[in-house]
Amino acid sequence: MKIYVGNLPFGTDDAALQTLFESYGAVDSANVVMDRDTGRSRGFGFVEMSDAAAASAAIQALDNQPFDGRNLRVNEARPRPSGGGRQRSERY
């Protein structure tokens, strides 16, 4: 199951995110999303856990809980909308 983790402190890295979820079960991957231009965290990430029961337990336990001074937003990740990335409109 892929899990969305929002409102992460900007100092959180992949290893810290993985450690946070490992107490609920085996973590297949943990990835903090970084800004392409600045290289800084965008404040959210994704965790993948193959055991659905462990993933559900982690979501229940961690959603809206404080982590380094910020309340996390944790839920099952939704699929990306089809059609690629964000569209930018031009103004004249």
Side-chain angles (χ1 to χ4, degrees):
M1 175 185 293
K2 191 168 188 176
I3 302 168
Y4 167 82
V5 185
N7 205 34
L8 284 170
F10 292 106
T12 305
D13 61 9
D14 295 350
L17 186 58
Q18 180 167 343
T19 300
L20 177 65
F21 278 79
E22 281 180 333
S23 60
Y24 299 96
V27 174
D28 298 330
S29 67
N31 180 21
V32 175
V33 176
M34 306 302 266
D35 185 275
R36 286 185 217 168
D37 297 330
T38 65
R40 291 178 31 152
S41 167
R42 293 190 57 200
F44 69 94
F46 296 94
V47 173
E48 289 193 56
M49 300 176 80
S50 53
D51 182 351
S56 293
I59 290 169
Q60 291 292 324
L62 295 172
D63 186 40
N64 206 32
Q65 294 302 307
F67 178 67
D68 285 346
R70 299 186 78 168
N71 286 352
L72 298 175
R73 299 286 177 242
V74 183
N75 54 52
E76 186 172 351
R78 294 183 214 123
R80 279 185 170 188
S82 62
R86 175 174 56 169
Q87 298 290 323
R88 294 184 184 189
S89 62
E90 293 186 28
R91 290 188 166 173
Y92 295 98

